[in-house]
Every structure is written in structure tokens, then in C-alpha cells.
Amino acid sequence: MTTPHLRNYIGGQWIESESGEVFDDLDPATGKVIATATKSGKADVERAVEAAQRARDAWRLYPAPKRGEILYRAGEIMLQRKEQLAREMTSEMGKVLAEARGDIQEGIDMTYYTAGEGRRQFGDVVPAELPNKWAMSMRHPLGVVAAITPWNFPFAIPTWKIMPALVLGNAVVFKPASYTPMLAVRLVEILEEAGLPKGVLNLVLGPGGALGDALVTHPGVDLVSFTGSSDVGAHISEIAGRLLKRVSCELGGKNAIVVLDDADVDLSLEGIVWSAFGTSGQRCTAASRVITHRGVAKDLVDKLVARTKKLRMGHGLEATTDVGPVVSKDAQEKIQSYIPIAEREGATVAAGGQIPTAGALANGFFHEPTVLIDVKPNMRVAQEEIFGPVTAVIEVRDLDEAIKVLNSTKYGLSCSVYTKNVNNAFRFMRDAETGLVYVNAGTIGAEIQLPFGGMKSTGNGHREAGRAALDVYSEWKSIYVDYSGKLQRAQMDEPSTAS
Ligand code: NDP
């Protein structure tokens, strides 16, 4: 069987990059090449942005309900291809098949939900302070949106950006993560089949770095919508900020599950295992900290360690696999580097902690699910995003201390509390400094109809998904129509009360 080759999509054509260079797309469970992809650079970015600029006006003027209908058709195609897409995702980035199906489903949900915005996009009509004057607001598209996405949700996250951008009348240049070009190509193919006009969506494949900088600083790009690491997010914000470009950033997390002494410990255990080790801990909302009340700490840790040791690593397409590989050798090494850091600072490895070196697992990029105990809130493993199957258990004496520890990192994405006490639950909901809060559930599993994003250094104040996404991909325009036939001066003229 020949290895598939993936190309750019620019101006409605599937084309090679100007350089003609390629890069490999690997299955992280086996280390084998599953596809090659064209490697783009600055010249390809230029072509993609120019194509988007050429298409943007016609698309802006195409009626929004009709834009929404194209999205509905894309949603239908996604539904038909769900299983095939999920299998390709597992092979491309490693998450187990059930989770890959969830990723595709989230993309379908987002696409259908956003399609409905074709017939909403409500503005306000409000009373004017002067007679015979009309006052209203409406949304206006930004122009060309650069959508830069990570590999951990290679289908869902691109839909969070591309669908609202399109339905609001923007053209898009999509730069997916280099680890997941195949899923990006599949999404673009679907939108092409659904009838998206040429040039409205353009795809450039290739490594961040020079390509990314060229895209972010291109004068034809009006908004940079970025999801990824805090380091790259800060870099993008800096170079785009100098050009006064709009930038939306969704960045890292150091999420925590809090277990209070009145919690159902067995239920919390389910939430911890799912949130810490699902997608091999590579979700931005992964529970990389467990903050437990001393009263239940021993029971919880004993059960967590026993459960963690039983988790089976393997290829995500195998039904027996609980935990798949991490995305790359670099990721595997970075995760492993935190084990001696933790031990030097006084933490203890209670489960896992190793890279498997025997059998088929040694060919892929696996890391054992790991539980660290004796962790203090200021240790590096309790502060830094490890982005792997590692969770750090911190003991506290009460709810106040739990909230203090929870809020003690620079991140503010997701958290949860396990408690049967409604007063504790409400205090927690009020005081948690995170964009997502769960009660008696883990830290993962957001639904697309509510805003998604984080406080503090997890972002720059924007939210994806839900109605909030519309504010990222459009500007407000306030319109006044004076039909009095004379000069009327707001804040100065008094309307007559005579009838
Ligand atoms: P990276 O920041 O490494 O990469 C994200 C994207 O940015 C990739 O497409 C990457 O390309 C690209 N990129 C890299 N350098 C540049 C540059 N100079 N200019 C423009 N683009 C660039 O993140 P990961 O892909 O490793 O994703 C993991 C991170 O994403 C974690 O920190 C996680 O917490 C975060 N994340 C946040 C979410 C949220 O909503 N808050 C959701 C999901 C993930 P390339 O792949 O070619 O390097």
C-alpha cells in the first residue's frame, strides 16, 4: 500500500508547497510513518492569505443563512464519516478510539450548533434619545482569520475556530499542528464537498516557526486565533500585538480535582482516573493535580494507586487499551524529565513513573500513568503543565486551603470539586479562578454550547464555543439612522414634549 500524501489547499486547489519539501506524519503508538505532508513556508502563506483576501468580500456578502446551510451539509458528511475519521485520528495522534470518536462528535456538535448561527447573529435595536432616530447594532466580520491549532483535539478544536469564523462571513487560513496534518486535510475536504466557495478556507501544512510567524504577521491577516502552549501564545501575542492585530489565545492549564472529606471517594476516583489519564493526560483540561482533604487522603491515594497500576497501555485501536501513547518522542522525554524533578523536590512516585522499554510499547512513545504523592503546592510538578499522564496529589486541611492551593498557579482553565455539601459546592463555584468548574465530575468533558476558555495565563480573556465565540470572530458595528430631516445633536438637544 502506498503511503498517503497530504497537500495544501489554497484558492480551492490541492497543491504542493513551493519548496516541494515534505515531512512525515507518524503513528505515535508504533513510530511508523502513516503519511507524508507537504512542508510549507512563507511563500505558501502569502498565497493562502492572498486567496483568502480575494474570497472574503463575496463570502461576506453571501447571506448568512446560506453560509449556515453549507455548515449543516458539512455536519452531515462528518456524521457519515465519523468512524473512519476517528480511526485515522487514533493512528495519527494516539488517543484511544472511544475518545477519538468523542473528538469527532464534538466537531459535529460544533458544526451543527454554529450552522444555526446563520439565522441568528442577533444585534440590538434600542430606543434612541432623539425623535425620529433609529439605533441598532450588528455584527461585522473581521476579514481574514488565521486559525492555528494544536494536535490534541485535531478535529474538534479546528471546528471551534473555523465554523464560527465562516458563519460570520470571514475567510480563513488554517495552520494545523504538524503532528496532525491528516485530520486537518479531512476537515477541509469535508467543507469543500459541502460546497464552500474556493478561497474561503485555505490550508497550509508545515512547522510552526517561520511559517507561523509569517502567517501571524501577514498584513492581510485580521485575527489570529490560536490554541496551544503558553510559550507560543506569548510569542504570537507579542509579534501580533506590535501590529495591533486582534489575537485570541487559548493556552495551557494546571487543572485540579478537589476531594473534600464529605465526598463520595469512589466517585471521585472515577473522575480522577478519567481526567488525569484520558488522552494520556494530554488535554488542556487534564487533572494534573488532585487536592485532597487529609481526612480522605489515605483511602483515596490507596485506591488511586491500585487503579493506576492496572491501566493497560497499548495502541488506541485495540479494545483492551486504557491509555494510548503520548504524541511524540519529545513529549515522552519532557514528561519523563519531570520524574527526577519531582523526586528532588521531595515528592514520591506512588505509581508508574517509567517509559516502557519492553515489547511493542518500546516502539511507540508511551509513558506509564503516574501518581506523585507528598507533593507541596509550590513544587514544579504542582505548578507547571506537564501535558502527560502524570497527576500530583496534594493534601490540605479544609476547603479554604483547597481553594487557595487550587488558585495558586498562573493558569485558570478547569477544576472540579467532589462534595455532598451544597454550601461547600457553592463556595467553591464562587471562588475558583478558572473558566470551567465542575461539581462531582472530573475536569474534562466540556460541551460546545457554553463558553470554553481560561482565566489568568490560560488565555487573553476570550472564549471559544457557545455564543461567546461570535464575539471573537466579529466586530460590533453601531448604526444610527436619523430620519427627522434636520440636524439633531445627541446629548445636547432636548426633544419637544409638544404633541
Ligand atoms: P504548541 O504551542 O506547540 O503548538 C500549537 C500550534 O502552534 C501548532 O499548530 C504549532 O505548529 C503552532 N506554532 C508553533 N510555533 C508557532 C509560531 N511561531 N507561530 C505560529 N504558530 C506556531 O502546542 P501543542 O500543539 O503542543 O499543544 C499543546 C498545548 O496546547 C498545551 O499547552 C495545551 O494546554 C494547549 N491547549 C489549550 C487548550 C485551551 O483551550 N486552553 C486546548 C488544547 C490545547 P507545529 O505543530 O508545526 O509546531
Side-chain angles (χ1 to χ4, degrees):
M1 207 177 77
T2 52
T3 310
H5 179 65
L6 308 165
R7 290 177 296 171
N8 289 339
Y9 183 70
I10 298 179
Q13 306 293 322
W14 291 96
I15 53 173
E16 295 296 338
S17 66
E18 289 223 340
S19 73
E21 290 177 47
V22 296
F23 64 98
D24 290 337
D25 187 10
L26 302 184
D27 178 341
T30 61
K32 292 199 175 123
V33 176
I34 58 166
T36 56
T38 199
K39 190 172 175 183
S40 313
K42 195 168 176 219
D44 306 290
V45 166
E46 296 277 345
R47 288 165 79 171
V49 176
E50 279 163 21
Q53 283 180 303
R54 279 196 300 278
R56 59 179 263 189
D57 266 337
W59 182 240
R60 173 174 67 84
L61 298 172
Y62 190 64
K66 296 288 166 194
R67 298 198 292 255
E69 283 172 20
I70 295 176
L71 267 55
Y72 274 122
R73 284 201 290 279
E76 299 288 293
I77 302 170
M78 289 174 192
L79 205 50
Q80 286 158 16
R81 299 200 186 143
K82 181 173 168 181
E83 188 61 20
Q84 176 196 334
L85 292 167
R87 288 183 167 272
E88 285 184 337
M89 183 184 299
T90 295
S91 300
E92 187 173 49
M93 56 69 68
K95 70 171 73 171
V96 297
L97 187 55
E99 291 185 55
R101 290 186 186 118
D103 191 323
I104 303 297
Q105 187 58 47
E106 192 173 326
I108 294 169
D109 296 344
M110 190 69 209
T111 303
Y112 281 143
Y113 175 85
T114 313
E117 288 301 334
R119 290 187 186 269
R120 284 190 293 268
Q121 303 185 26
F122 303 125
D124 291 324
V125 177
V126 295
E129 65 184 49
L130 290 163
N132 298 322
K133 186 177 174 190
W134 183 266
M136 64 182 177
S137 61
M138 63 177 284
R139 293 186 182 276
H140 187 86
L142 291 154
V144 175
V145 171
I148 305 177
T149 55
W151 46 267
N152 64 338
F153 280 83
F155 197 78
I157 290 181
T159 68
W160 292 2
K161 299 184 185 304
I162 292 171
M163 300 308 168
L166 291 179
V167 88
L168 285 156
N170 300 284
V172 176
V173 177
F174 172 27
K175 196 292 228 209
S178 297
Y179 292 128
T180 49
M182 187 182 288
L183 264 289
V185 165
R186 298 293 176 254
L187 176 58
V188 175
E189 286 170 349
I190 287 169
L191 279 158
E192 181 188 36
E193 270 181 65
L196 199 66
K198 291 181 194 325
V200 171
L201 174 62
N202 304 278
L203 173 71
V204 276
L205 304 173
L211 184 169
D213 283 4
L215 181 59
V216 169
T217 55
H218 194 295
V221 168
D222 301 285
L223 166 75
V224 180
S225 175
F226 172 78
T227 299
S229 62
S230 297
D231 286 348
V232 176
H235 168 72
I236 285 176
S237 302
E238 189 187 332
I239 58 174
R242 274 194 243 122
L243 300 167
L244 294 180
K245 272 186 203 292
R246 278 137 187 75
V247 182
S248 159
C249 284
E250 288 298 338
L251 310 174
K254 191 68 193 174
N255 317 290
I257 292 181
V258 171
V259 185
L260 297 178
D261 57 348
D262 56 24
D264 176 338
V265 170
D266 290 334
L267 182 65
S268 75
L269 179 69
E270 299 301 323
I272 294 166
V273 171
W274 172 227
S275 305
F277 304 130
T279 319
S280 307
Q282 301 166 112
R283 292 196 188 207
C284 49
T285 50
S288 56
R289 294 181 296 159
V290 175
I291 301 170
T292 172
H293 191 289
R294 276 181 196 158
V296 290
K298 180 162 181 353
D299 184 25
L300 178 63
V301 167
D302 286 351
K303 287 175 172 163
L304 177 59
V305 167
R307 271 291 288 281
T308 304
K309 286 182 175 166
K310 285 201 189 116
L311 294 172
R312 293 158 302 182
M313 289 179 286
H315 198 295
L317 290 176
E318 286 161 16
T320 49
T321 298
D322 298 309
V323 179
V326 297
V327 74
S328 64
K329 185 145 192 55
D330 283 354
Q332 184 193 44
E333 284 169 2
K334 179 186 164 198
I335 296 160
Q336 180 61 24
S337 74
Y338 273 97
I339 305 300
I341 292 172
E343 287 173 329
R344 269 199 304 277
E345 290 190 316
T348 308
V349 178
Q354 304 286 328
I355 291 175
T357 49
L361 293 181
N363 298 328
F365 314 125
F366 289 87
H367 194 285
E368 286 179 351
T370 300
V371 177
L372 301 173
I373 57 171
D374 303 321
V375 176
K376 300 286 172 259
N378 57 349
M379 288 181 184
R380 284 184 60 189
V381 284
Q383 292 289 329
E384 297 174 17
E385 187 183 47
I386 300 173
F387 221 57
V390 179
T391 198
V393 182
I394 303 168
E395 293 187 27
V396 292
R397 21 172 219 288
D398 55 21
L399 174 63
D400 285 338
E401 190 184 358
I403 291 172
K404 203 169 148 207
V405 171
L406 166 72
N407 291 337
S408 70
T409 76
K410 66 176 181 176
Y411 298 109
L413 185 52
S414 183
C415 70
S416 87
V417 65
Y418 280 85
T419 179
K420 289 183 189 149
N421 180 320
V422 70
N423 297 352
N424 286 341
F426 270 84
R427 281 184 53 205
F428 186 87
M429 288 186 257
R430 182 194 62 194
D431 295 337
E433 293 170 353
T434 57
L436 305 166
V437 178
Y438 295 85
V439 177
N440 291 326
T443 51
I444 63 179
E447 301 180 25
I448 58 89
Q449 62 275 31
L450 279 181
F452 184 98
M455 297 183 184
K456 303 195 288 190
S457 298
T458 289
N460 59 353
H462 296 287
R463 291 291 184 273
E464 305 246 54
R467 271 184 298 152
L470 301 181
D471 288 331
V472 174
Y473 299 96
S474 64
E475 304 244 40
W476 280 113
K477 189 187 278 183
S478 297
I479 300 175
Y480 303 92
V481 182
D482 190 321
Y483 55 98
S484 69
K486 60 184 183 194
L487 173 67
Q488 298 198 93
R489 299 173 303 173
Q491 294 91 37
M492 292 169 69
D493 292 348
E494 283 300 322
S496 157
T497 52
S499 57

